[in-house]
Amino acid sequence: MDRVVVTIIGVTIIVLGGAIWLGNRTAKPSVTTATDDPNRPIATVSETVFEFGTMSVSEERERTVTITNTGQSDLTVGPASTSCDCTFARITMPNGNQSPDFSMHGKSGWSAELSAGEQANVTVIYKPSIMPVQGHVERSVLIQTNDPVSPSIQLSFTAEVE
């Protein structure tokens, strides 16, 4: 009986050790910075609130907003989500690489890094025909970052849909 217990314990230790080793090999290191760290990444946004004006339900409108890393460390941008299935966001990095179109129910884990001084463009797309409404609408996009002061950036817009 003692031999069986020792064997079970030994196998358990080997399995757990293997799982920990494999987890450490594949896990992405998590870098966090303090809000008062002068070397932290800083997400600076060209605008966070805008208007699409008056539009028909069959129209589509886009607006591009710029996120600049004005900090010293790499800024992670993404993933993003939207407040409605009629609203989409696409992030274009300095090298031309683009995210998938983020939406309300999208499950993309996409993210990318901006070095100090680099900019990414966020294209906000509104397609009212997907969720037909009339009158005043307010929608938003939420973009995740690793900026400890702004861990998420909210872009909000309004429109008058006819």
Side-chain angles (χ1 to χ4, degrees):
M1 188 72 163
D2 289 328
R3 204 172 148 139
V4 171
V5 171
V6 169
T7 301
I8 291 172
I9 292 172
V11 169
T12 302
I13 290 172
I14 291 170
V15 169
L16 288 175
I20 292 170
W21 176 78
L22 183 60
N24 284 337
R25 283 191 39 179
T26 59
K28 202 174 187 181
S30 175
V31 178
T32 58
T33 54
T35 57
D36 61 350
D37 183 346
N39 295 316
R40 72 178 173 85
I42 300 172
T44 303
V45 186
S46 60
E47 63 182 328
T48 58
V49 178
F50 53 91
E51 295 180 13
F52 278 131
T54 302
M55 59 190 293
S56 74
V57 73
S58 61
E59 282 184 79
E60 292 181 14
R61 297 262 172 101
E62 292 185 4
R63 178 74 158 247
T64 300
V65 174
T66 303
I67 298 175
T68 305
N69 180 4
T70 57
Q72 301 301 311
S73 302
D74 287 349
L75 174 70
T76 303
V77 291
S81 61
T82 67
S83 63
C84 181
D85 280 334
C86 60
T87 304
F88 303 88
R90 182 182 316 117
I91 302 171
T92 304
M93 300 305 292
N95 63 5
N97 288 343
Q98 290 186 338
S99 71
D101 283 355
F102 295 106
S103 65
M104 183 178 194
H105 295 292
K107 300 294 181 198
S108 174
W110 183 93
S111 66
E113 304 286 322
L114 282 175
S115 297
E118 287 188 322
Q119 295 180 332
N121 290 323
V122 179
T123 303
V124 177
I125 307 153
Y126 179 49
K127 301 178 181 182
S129 63
I130 293 175
M131 301 289 290
V133 296
Q134 288 187 333
H136 183 78
V137 296
E138 298 178 8
R139 302 289 186 258
S140 62
V141 173
L142 196 64
I143 304 166
Q144 303 302 312
T145 77
N146 67 332
D147 178 344
V149 174
S150 300
S152 60
I153 297 168
Q154 183 169 327
L155 307 177
S156 301
F157 68 87
T158 60
E160 294 295 328
V161 181
E162 298 179 330

